[in-house]
Amino acid sequence: MDDSQQHEPQGTVEVPADGLIVLAGTPIGNMGDATARLVEWLGTADLIAAEDTRRLHRLVTALGVTVAGRVVSYHEHNEAARTADLLAQVRDGKVLLMVTDAGMPSVSDPGFRLVEAAVAAGVRVTAAPGPSAVLTALALSGLPTDRFCFEGFLPRKAGERAGRLRDLAAERRTMVFFEAPHRLEPMLRALHEAFGPDRRAAVCRELTKTYEEVLRLPLAGLLEWAEATEIRGEIAVVVAGAPDAAPSEPADHVADVAALVAGGLRLKEAVAVVAGEFHVSKRELYSAVLAARA
């Protein structure tokens, strides 16, 4: 076995001659969730791009890892300026490990800009998957998990937040949000106003940590809890998607047909268009139109 094989982290891909970027998931609370691949890459990577170098220091100290590579900060305020230099070093054959404060890089955290630039430059990118606050909250919420979307942080300004939620009012998938503890109450109030008091939801707090808490209540109940509670810690909010709309009857769409006929379509053509759009029987819709004219 040659030296490159001896120093390559077990179970990972072979490092290409023109370098490699590794996105590694870090614990979201419990250090016991650190993966063996994360530990190995921390000790072997030539470069480590960290969202917060102080947090990285605490992480490697807790894991008992000695970092051999150079550590650089990489966060929302410097990623635009630093990406090109990091890519240049990778193309010289170095291995760059990208880590954020918690969870997977690029998911509501720095990393997307680096991956986007790497893909455009033909630089190899892989991942050492690890903990994810999004998936952990979703799994613990008790809400449907077969279809979901991640919405990150809602806008801080009330008007912009309300606009975003209006766009999501008809979303059928389960939705996952992040929120700061001091903004949770106004966020829940906005959700309550946009989605109604009975929409099922869950507030997931301090996931994987000692004081982990998951509250599963309708939005009205969660808002009442938030109004009476001093909230601390990292927060994820999971909200059920909009319920399926009640199926419509052919008679409900007589006016839609009339509008198309008034616009110049023949009756049968208008019936076919409306029946296809609203998934109702053409025959029954046609009959309903004739009955309305009688």
Side-chain angles (χ1 to χ4, degrees):
M1 181 179 294
D2 60 31
D3 288 343
S4 63
Q5 290 174 314
Q6 289 175 349
H7 292 293
E8 181 186 340
Q10 296 179 4
T12 65
V13 296
E14 183 178 351
V15 178
D18 54 353
L20 178 69
I21 295 174
V22 182
L23 308 178
T26 55
I28 60 175
N30 191 319
M31 287 297 171
D33 294 333
T35 67
R37 292 183 67 199
L38 169 65
V39 171
E40 289 185 290
W41 281 121
L42 285 169
T44 59
D46 301 303
L47 290 165
I48 300 178
E51 182 180 7
D52 185 329
T53 57
R54 294 167 299 179
R55 294 281 289 268
L56 174 65
H57 178 73
R58 290 198 292 269
L59 173 66
V60 298
T61 299
L63 297 178
V65 177
T66 300
V67 173
R70 185 166 69 90
V71 174
V72 298
S73 64
Y74 188 81
H75 47 72
E76 62 177 330
H77 302 297
N78 71 4
E79 58 181 337
R82 189 150 283 179
T83 295
D85 176 61
L86 291 177
L87 278 182
Q89 295 187 63
V90 173
R91 297 185 81 167
D92 284 340
K94 295 186 182 302
V95 173
L96 168 64
L97 176 66
M98 173 77 221
V99 294
T100 58
D101 292 347
M104 283 298 297
S106 82
V107 181
S108 197
D109 273 327
F112 167 73
R113 189 187 296 270
L114 179 64
V115 174
E116 182 182 41
V119 171
V123 172
R124 179 80 177 277
V125 183
T126 189
S132 164
V134 176
L135 297 181
T136 303
L138 178 69
L140 292 178
S141 69
L143 298 173
T145 59
D146 54 336
R147 298 178 66 235
F148 71 93
C149 59
F150 174 56
E151 288 293 325
F153 288 89
L154 288 172
R156 297 186 182 188
K157 294 183 178 179
E160 294 177 4
R161 183 171 56 221
R164 175 80 63 82
L165 292 177
R166 281 195 298 270
D167 293 339
L168 293 172
E171 174 59 65
R172 301 290 181 84
R173 296 171 294 179
T174 299
M175 295 165 278
V176 184
F177 302 88
F178 286 164
E179 191 51 276
H182 64 280
R183 292 199 301 269
L184 181 62
E185 181 184 336
M187 179 219 192
L188 290 172
R189 183 170 290 106
L191 290 171
H192 181 281
E193 293 171 357
F195 299 159
D198 299 325
R199 184 77 69 90
R200 292 191 299 154
V203 170
C204 305
R205 190 181 70 85
E206 294 289 84
L207 291 172
T208 77
K209 299 178 184 178
T210 301
Y211 298 105
E212 176 180 280
E213 182 178 24
V214 180
L215 283 85
R216 305 173 183 89
L217 293 168
L219 285 171
L222 289 175
L223 177 57
E224 183 178 351
W225 164 80
E227 289 172 338
T229 305
E230 183 180 357
I231 301 163
R232 298 179 180 179
E234 304 285 338
I235 303 288
V237 178
V238 188
V239 182
D244 292 337
S248 59
E249 297 295 330
D252 297 334
H253 303 292
V254 169
D256 298 311
V257 174
L260 291 179
V261 171
L265 280 184
R266 294 168 52 192
L267 177 58
K268 287 187 176 181
E269 293 173 337
V271 167
V273 169
V274 172
E277 180 178 354
F278 294 100
H279 306 290
V280 296
S281 164
K282 285 193 293 185
R283 180 179 59 80
E284 293 179 6
L285 178 58
Y286 189 81
S287 297
V289 172
L290 296 181
R293 289 180 170 184

